Amino acid sequence: MMQNDLFSSITPVMEKLAEGVFLFRDYVDTEYFYTQIQDIFKQAPLRHMITPGGKRINVSGTSIGKAGWYSDRKGYRYEMIDPVSQKAWPAIPQRFMEIANKAAARAGFEKFLPDSCFINCYEPGTRLTSHQDQDEKDFSQPIVSVSLGVTAIFQLYGDQRGGTPMNIPLHNGDLLIFGGIARRYFHSVKKLEKENHPLTGDRRFNLTFRKAL
Ligand code: MD6
Ligand code: FE
């Protein structure tokens, strides 16, 4: 601990972007997160899932935690066993839990204890179409998202799939909280531009911490 460091005691800035939506810029230790997810991918590889309608999801993903979000012809759901590795999903690192929990508490969501974290990987040109996150049990719990690497534009709509969104650029290290009235809002991620980031190359990673069960 740097007890005498003037900055060590300063509380990170939290911006309120809308009712239920909070942003902490440059909040996490991205090298630590990136090292951890590389290790996770060895156990639960990134994969392209299939929508219930049979479309390949261009953004690849995997999960950590007790439950992992999954999609195939049978539907969207949470799975306790990774259908690819046939093993339990890797555990959420303790430090990830602490970071998500502490930020959520600052935003007014006490006792946020995620049991699932979905990790997305965006390659240049990929995007995430407008959706609601509604496969979780308890909507009073927020979702906490951490972005790594290339900047993406996160688009927040309302109760409808389209319309004019609020555009939120998410940079390396940013942490976004999505709860309360906004928990069921539609949102999307714009097509990733071809850029180079020192940590992740041309890719972007996003981790979404949830209380799924
Ligand atoms: C992403 N995020 O940022 C995708 N969902 O790559 C999400 O879909 C998301 O960031 C719910 C709450 C926060 C999110
Ligand atoms: Fe989402």
Side-chain angles (χ1 to χ4, degrees):
M1 270 285 268
M2 292 187 290
Q3 291 290 355
N4 299 319
D5 181 346
L6 176 64
F7 296 99
S8 65
S9 62
I10 292 179
T11 315
V13 174
M14 179 180 77
E15 293 171 62
K16 180 173 174 177
L17 302 183
E19 201 54 47
V21 185
F22 303 88
L23 179 63
F24 296 80
R25 290 276 181 215
D26 196 16
Y27 187 75
V28 312
D29 177 348
T30 56
E31 265 123 56
Y32 170 72
F33 268 74
Y34 193 62
T35 307
Q36 292 292 311
I37 64 173
Q38 296 313 305
D39 199 49
I40 288 161
F41 297 154
K42 289 183 205 146
Q43 302 163 62
L46 287 168
R47 75 288 305 267
H48 290 278
M49 288 187 253
I50 307 290
T51 67
K55 287 209 186 96
R56 176 185 189 263
I57 301 175
N58 284 325
V59 176
S60 60
T62 192
S63 280
I64 49 178
K66 193 168 178 213
W69 186 82
Y70 212 77
S71 174
D72 60 18
R73 283 281 188 181
K74 287 185 263 174
Y76 300 130
R77 62 195 182 273
Y78 279 93
E79 289 278 4
M80 308 302 137
I81 299 293
D82 175 0
V84 170
S85 73
Q86 301 280 341
K87 287 187 291 200
W89 302 98
I92 302 177
Q94 193 53 39
R95 186 91 192 96
F96 283 17
M97 288 286 241
E98 286 161 12
I99 290 162
N101 178 272
K102 194 172 171 191
R106 275 278 306 282
F109 302 100
E110 297 293 339
K111 304 193 187 101
F112 175 58
L113 291 172
D115 51 21
S116 181
C117 172
F118 192 66
I119 309 174
N120 271 142
C121 172
Y122 295 76
E123 310 263 356
T126 61
R127 68 190 186 105
L128 197 65
T129 55
S130 187
H131 68 278
Q132 295 166 298
D133 289 67
Q134 51 183 359
D135 302 312
E136 299 77 29
K137 287 230 167 72
D138 181 359
F139 293 100
S140 72
Q141 293 283 339
I143 293 182
V144 172
S145 128
V146 170
S147 293
L148 302 176
V150 175
T151 297
I153 311 291
F154 183 82
Q155 303 190 288
L156 179 61
Y157 303 85
D159 296 323
Q160 307 290 319
R161 182 172 296 280
T164 309
M166 175 189 233
N167 289 324
I168 308 165
L170 293 180
H171 307 292
N172 185 48
D174 289 353
L175 184 149
L176 181 76
I177 299 183
F178 215 75
I181 191 178
R183 177 63 181 73
R184 292 168 119 124
Y185 281 179
F186 279 93
H187 53 278
S188 62
V189 178
K190 271 176 107 167
K191 188 159 75 83
L192 198 73
E193 297 292 339
K194 175 115 181 111
E195 276 170 29
N196 195 65
H197 190 279
L199 184 65
T200 62
D202 60 7
R203 297 183 297 175
R204 168 182 187 253
F205 295 89
N206 178 260
L207 294 87
T208 44
F209 294 89
R210 299 114 188 276
K211 175 84 178 75
L213 304 177

